[in-house]
Amino acid sequence: MSNEIYEGLYARTGGHFNLNVSGASGTGKSTFIRAFAASVLNSVPEEKEDLCVKGSIRTESGELEIAAEETHDAAQGEIAASVLVVSDGSFGKARSELLSQEEAIAAKLRECGKPFMVYLNSAAPGSAECEGLRVSLAEKYGAPVLTGDIHAGLDADKFMAEFLMAFPVKRMDFYFPEWMRVLPAESKIVSEILTRIREITPKVERMGDCGKLSDAFGDGDVYCESCETDVSSGVAKCCLAAKDWMFYKVLSEECGVEITDDLKLMAYVRALGEAKTFYDKYGSAFRRAEEYGYGVSVPSESDMKLCSPELFRRGTRSGVKLRAQASTYHVIKVDVQSEVSPIAGEAARGEEIAKGMVDSYEKDPDALWNTDMFGKTFKDMAREGLLEKTVPEDARGKLRKAVTRIVNEGKGGVICILL
């Protein structure tokens, strides 16, 4: 048997692999245990009614103790795993005579929550009929099904490898493309991926189910590039990839600008770099203005103009004056109001219209503001009114001079500004 299989069994069972062999009468349980002992433990058990074989195998992690016992109760004893031996009716009793007992045992095995698989004993394991029964049993019992003629012996490697895949999945790791990792969970593509993950993960109970992860992302714009399973730890790793054009599609959606190739991406990045340079310089002023009503940009060293030193005398004393100049931007948050008065005419009629508009606003504010009048909505009219509210041109220069004096000369006293 492969060392990897032994190591996996040691890790998943803590070094004690106890196998409960159950099944309906006449399916070949005793023959199965003898074949198991011969192929796995290299021993021949004594002939007796209830069989229990034991042995150990050396692994790199330690001594793996193995025991296989025939039981008549699916929940009997301290078990690490179970195998349900069933027959297709090709020898002994007809399958119909064993079905009710088989189903009862399978139900108990599912309830106990331990790993279990089904061994389909058949005189013709390679036949189409046997394969069809194998598929239906796997779906019916939710467990892996291995076919074979137990009287001809047991393929130990195949059986134990299949059993490893019956152990539960402890964790599933999904790896997204690197560029997707910066996207929020609310983004369209990430949201779609998470939805598909939530749909498929409840269906992946055992290691043998991990192929469903690949199937869930088998096609589409995002697909499963690789799916690896570590049976020793019970971890499944699914690496997702996206088709090349998806990067530009998502980038365009996030930026609100159509970016279809490297040329447009470079142009956008350059423009974005210029915008970021501006924001790094003046962004703090706008943020503080938004929060406190007033903000000022801090000049950088490159903005400073260092003037020539000036000598000065004050009475009998003299000195030198070093002057530096720099332009700063003072951002003031001003609350502007705009009014729209669409009602005119007789008092009674105007009052009736006004009351109707108030009632309409209470029911649906957006509908009222989007009402069209003379080719413009009320919202457009209000916006135009806000844009008109600005400092008159002839007063802007005076305002700048006044703010400059306040900044440079203001000491907390009273300043009167006439514009």
Side-chain angles (χ1 to χ4, degrees):
M1 194 189 302
S2 169
N3 289 334
E4 183 180 355
I5 297 175
Y6 279 128
E7 293 294 335
L9 287 171
Y10 186 94
R12 296 310 298 267
T13 63
H16 302 278
F17 181 66
N18 301 317
L19 183 63
N20 177 5
V21 182
S22 58
S25 302
T27 55
K29 299 188 297 297
S30 299
T31 306
F32 178 89
I33 291 182
R34 293 189 179 90
F36 180 87
S39 60
V40 178
L41 304 176
N42 297 315
S43 63
V44 179
E46 298 179 3
E47 291 285 345
K48 55 183 180 180
E49 185 177 352
D50 291 330
L51 290 176
C52 179
V53 295
K54 295 182 180 180
S56 63
I57 298 175
R58 170 65 61 181
T59 69
E60 293 182 4
S61 303
E63 197 78 16
L64 173 62
E65 298 179 359
I66 299 177
E69 181 178 5
E70 178 184 356
T71 61
H72 302 288
D73 185 345
Q76 179 179 333
E78 182 181 351
I79 60 172
S82 297
V83 58
L84 173 61
V85 180
V86 303
S87 171
D88 64 351
S90 56
F91 60 87
K93 297 181 181 179
R95 177 163 175 74
S96 58
E97 298 179 34
L98 308 173
L99 187 57
S100 60
Q101 190 178 359
E102 172 189 304
E103 291 175 340
I105 296 174
K108 287 185 177 181
L109 291 175
R110 289 288 295 177
E111 289 175 4
C112 74
K114 298 292 185 178
F116 89 97
M117 66 174 292
V118 178
Y119 185 88
L120 176 54
N121 197 6
S122 173
S127 65
E129 293 78 6
C130 185
E131 175 60 20
L133 180 58
R134 184 195 70 80
V135 173
S136 65
L137 288 176
E139 182 177 354
K140 180 178 181 179
Y141 296 138
V145 181
L146 185 66
T147 60
D149 183 355
I150 197 60
H151 299 89
L154 181 68
D155 186 334
D157 281 356
K158 186 176 181 180
F159 175 78
M160 300 303 278
E162 191 72 27
F163 221 118
L164 266 178
M165 304 307 288
F167 279 83
V169 175
K170 292 185 176 180
R171 193 178 78 235
M172 285 174 274
D173 296 336
F174 291 87
Y175 294 86
F176 286 39
E178 289 189 356
W179 58 267
M180 284 190 191
R181 298 177 187 176
V182 299
L183 299 176
E186 297 78 19
S187 67
K188 182 179 178 181
I189 187 170
V190 175
S191 178
E192 290 177 353
I193 293 174
L194 293 178
T195 298
R196 294 171 74 177
I197 290 176
R198 293 187 186 102
E199 290 175 351
I200 191 59
T201 48
K203 302 176 184 177
V204 181
E205 299 180 359
R206 54 186 179 83
M207 301 304 295
D209 294 332
C210 291
K212 295 178 181 179
L213 300 177
S214 300
D215 296 339
F217 293 92
D219 54 5
D221 300 331
V222 178
Y223 58 93
C224 180
E225 188 175 44
S226 65
C227 186
E228 301 177 357
T229 56
D230 184 354
V231 292
S232 297
S233 61
V235 176
K237 298 180 180 180
C238 184
C239 297
L240 303 178
K243 294 180 179 178
D244 294 339
W245 58 268
M246 279 296 296
F247 172 77
Y248 290 111
K249 178 184 177 182
V250 176
L251 188 64
S252 299
E253 293 173 352
E254 290 292 319
C255 298
V257 178
E258 186 177 5
I259 302 174
T260 57
D261 51 38
D262 291 350
L263 177 62
K264 291 185 177 180
L265 175 60
M266 182 57 70
Y268 182 77
V269 169
R270 284 182 58 83
L272 195 63
E274 294 176 0
K276 186 177 185 303
T277 300
F278 179 87
Y279 183 79
D280 290 343
K281 189 172 184 179
Y282 305 111
S284 61
F286 284 93
R287 287 196 302 270
R288 292 188 68 83
E290 177 66 25
E291 186 174 359
Y292 302 107
Y294 173 82
V296 59
S297 65
V298 179
S300 63
E301 186 174 335
S302 61
D303 295 327
M304 295 174 59
K305 178 182 178 182
L306 303 179
C307 303
S308 301
E310 299 178 9
L311 296 174
F312 69 89
R313 288 187 177 87
R314 291 178 182 172
T316 59
R317 302 178 62 184
S318 63
V320 62
K321 183 184 294 183
L322 299 176
R323 188 187 302 274
Q325 294 180 345
S327 295
T328 60
Y329 292 83
H330 296 253
V331 183
I332 302 174
K333 183 178 179 180
V334 179
D335 295 326
V336 183
Q337 296 181 354
S338 174
E339 293 182 1
V340 179
S341 300
I343 301 175
E346 298 179 0
R349 178 58 179 166
E351 184 177 350
E352 181 181 349
I353 296 175
K355 186 176 184 304
M357 294 181 67
V358 172
D359 293 340
S360 174
Y361 178 81
E362 292 177 352
K363 295 177 181 178
D364 188 352
D366 291 335
L368 175 63
W369 278 105
N370 290 318
T371 301
D372 187 275
M373 179 173 284
F374 308 119
K376 293 182 181 179
T377 64
F378 292 155
K379 186 184 293 184
D380 293 335
M381 296 179 188
R383 185 184 297 111
E384 290 177 358
L386 293 174
L387 294 176
E388 293 173 356
K389 298 295 182 68
T390 182
V391 177
E393 289 189 14
D394 58 350
R396 293 174 186 176
K398 297 177 181 179
L399 178 62
R400 180 173 180 270
K401 291 180 181 179
V403 173
T404 300
R405 289 193 62 184
I406 293 173
V407 171
N408 287 304
E409 302 175 14
K411 300 297 183 181
V414 177
I415 298 177
C416 180
I417 301 176
L418 299 177
L419 297 180

